[in-house]
Amino acid sequence: TGCEEHNNFCDGVGSGIPHWKVELEKNWNHISTALQTIEAVPRKTTNPSTGESFDKFRARVNANAANGKTDAASSRYVYLGSYEDSEEEALGCYNFDERTYFEDTGENTPANTVVNTAENSACTTELVKFNNEQQHHAILCRKKNLISIETLTELVSKIVNVFWDEKTQREIAKSEGQLNTDAPDYLWIKKVLEEDGMVDVFRHFYPRADSRFTCWHQLRNKRYTNEGSRIDYTLVDRSLLEFVEKGEGTLRCGPTPYDNPLGEEAALMAATANGMFESGTFAGGGIASAPKSVLDTQFGPTHTGMIYTPPSYSDHIAVSLVFNDRLVSLMGVFTLDEKDAATRKSQPHKKQRSIASFLAPKE
């Protein structure tokens, strides 16, 4: 950055260095020292509606550690992240070691073989012992020292009291952000699209659609700010693409049409039914039920795209695909044979007993 000559810090005036980089350079040693004190603090939480209690964990650091203040009186403890089900999950986002996971290779491994790895879900280093189990191959899913903008923003705000607004975070994402191209899910879908000749139909019809997600973190109410992921796809073999069409409508934008249905604001309105879907409270009790008029906003003209089912249904929404009449004329009318073995195998949910069967008295 050219800041070394100024004791690892320069004011950035006239240097062309973004202000956020200057702030990060100035404060990173302070943040790193604080992270060395990180611990998972247990807490029992209670759902006020049901009275049910849960054992949770949340990360905590001493923000004054860099100043040599480690005694109880002078320490300034700050909590990071949210309450999680385990210590590993609470600490996971604040460990920047390389992440790997193991894939079964089908080969035998000598007993008591020990391997060092970064455990995938918790991001913490642990020893893995195989004990005559099948050999596992370590697969990289994140390189060392990668950090999300959300986590970085939290660290600078809570530990050194530097606050980045949304505009700044977008600037960081635009200039420094990168895809995690080592992630197994990225590599898998890249292979499917490039080598297997499949087409992501949504992107085919809407290559410039912005912020259209299919899944959100329900516990953190991320749907209501439209911070999510598009992880539900309709993939079609390229040879079948001629039989697929957009349909009668364009992308859903909630109950109110938008001049730019591909924009970020339209995507937010679609995800929230123009703000009429209500979020759940952090105190517990679940997601509030919406009136029928709001639930009906999920319906609209037949189209290839996304169907914004209410958040009370799931943390995912549905995706839709429209075939044109040429396919019907070529293949004939499609009927569902529910007795077909392959069909039954693809519908395991139909084997699930009704909820009433779980409540029936035992004989």
Side-chain angles (χ1 to χ4, degrees):
T1 63
C3 295
E4 290 81 1
E5 60 189 68
H6 298 289
N7 297 321
N8 292 325
F9 171 65
C10 58
D11 60 14
V13 177
S15 67
I17 301 175
H19 187 57
W20 67 265
K21 281 190 176 182
V22 176
E23 293 173 329
L24 190 59
E25 178 74 15
K26 177 182 178 180
N27 292 294
W28 185 249
N29 286 339
H30 191 140
I31 294 171
S32 298
T33 303
L35 285 174
Q36 293 175 15
T37 69
I38 196 167
E39 59 182 339
V41 179
R43 180 180 176 182
K44 190 175 291 292
T45 62
T46 304
N47 185 320
S49 300
T50 65
E52 187 177 5
S53 61
F54 305 90
D55 291 320
K56 298 287 185 177
F57 298 86
R58 192 175 182 187
R60 186 180 73 173
V61 299
N62 177 11
N64 283 343
N67 301 323
K69 299 178 179 180
T70 57
D71 60 284
S74 57
S75 295
R76 181 173 70 87
Y77 290 107
V78 295
Y79 285 89
L80 303 174
S82 57
Y83 287 103
E84 304 291 350
D85 292 332
S86 68
E87 294 183 42
E88 291 78 14
E89 290 174 294
L91 301 176
C93 289
Y94 310 100
N95 184 314
F96 312 130
D97 292 335
E98 177 180 282
R99 294 189 193 180
T100 59
Y101 75 98
F102 284 106
E103 183 180 63
D104 192 345
T105 65
E107 300 176 5
N108 290 326
T109 302
N112 299 321
T113 300
V114 176
V115 177
N116 263 317
T117 183
E119 194 256 339
N120 183 30
S121 62
C123 320
T124 55
T125 301
E126 66 173 20
L127 297 178
V128 178
K129 188 176 291 187
F130 289 105
N131 292 326
N132 287 322
E133 297 291 337
Q134 296 288 75
Q135 182 176 340
H136 290 68
H137 173 59
I139 297 178
L140 177 69
C141 60
R142 193 193 71 180
K143 292 179 181 178
K144 187 176 182 179
N145 292 332
L146 290 182
I147 182 174
S148 72
I149 294 173
E150 181 181 20
T151 299
L152 185 60
T153 300
E154 179 189 26
L155 292 176
V156 297
S157 65
K158 291 185 176 180
I159 296 177
V160 295
N161 295 318
V162 172
F163 301 94
W164 293 338
D165 58 16
E166 182 178 339
K167 181 180 179 181
T168 300
Q169 294 177 53
R170 287 177 179 270
E171 177 188 339
I172 298 172
K174 184 176 181 180
S175 63
E176 304 294 333
Q178 57 181 285
L179 290 173
N180 180 13
T181 55
D182 298 301
D185 48 356
Y186 174 87
L187 295 174
W188 176 84
I189 199 165
K190 186 174 186 289
K191 180 179 179 181
V192 168
L193 296 176
E194 295 182 358
E195 299 181 20
D196 295 347
M198 303 295 285
V199 177
D200 175 3
V201 178
F202 180 84
R203 273 291 168 232
H204 174 76
F205 285 126
Y206 304 104
R208 292 182 174 83
D210 191 11
S211 302
R212 290 285 176 163
F213 306 123
T214 64
C215 181
W216 301 264
H217 198 308
Q218 291 276 60
L219 294 179
R220 299 179 184 175
N221 285 330
K222 291 297 186 179
R223 179 165 177 172
Y224 309 95
T225 53
N226 198 31
E227 300 173 64
S229 304
R230 190 171 73 92
I231 58 176
D232 300 273
Y233 297 88
T234 302
L235 303 177
V236 174
D237 191 281
R238 188 169 295 277
S239 63
L240 296 175
L241 194 58
E242 61 179 296
F243 301 110
V244 180
E245 62 181 33
K246 272 190 175 183
E248 303 172 14
T250 183
L251 287 177
R252 306 280 170 84
C253 304
T256 304
Y258 271 78
D259 293 335
N260 179 19
L262 304 182
E264 186 175 345
E265 183 179 3
L268 173 62
M269 293 299 100
T272 62
N274 284 29
M276 291 189 291
F277 287 145
E278 296 184 26
S279 61
T281 67
F282 289 108
I287 299 173
S289 297
K292 184 177 182 300
S293 60
V294 179
L295 297 178
D296 286 345
T297 61
Q298 66 187 288
F299 304 114
T302 302
H303 79 308
T304 293
M306 300 176 178
I307 301 175
Y308 286 85
T309 46
S312 56
Y313 288 13
S314 172
D315 55 348
H316 291 251
I317 59 170
V319 293
S320 56
L321 177 69
V322 178
F323 287 108
N324 57 35
D325 293 337
R326 292 182 56 239
L327 182 65
V328 176
S329 63
L330 181 66
M331 303 293 295
V333 178
F334 293 95
T335 58
L336 177 63
D337 183 2
E338 295 190 2
K339 295 182 179 180
D340 176 69
T343 300
R344 295 177 65 182
K345 185 177 180 180
S346 68
Q347 298 177 327
H349 60 280
K350 290 196 171 183
K351 296 180 181 180
Q352 178 64 50
R353 296 180 297 171
S354 68
I355 189 66
S357 66
F358 291 97
L359 305 177
K362 295 182 179 180
E363 296 182 355

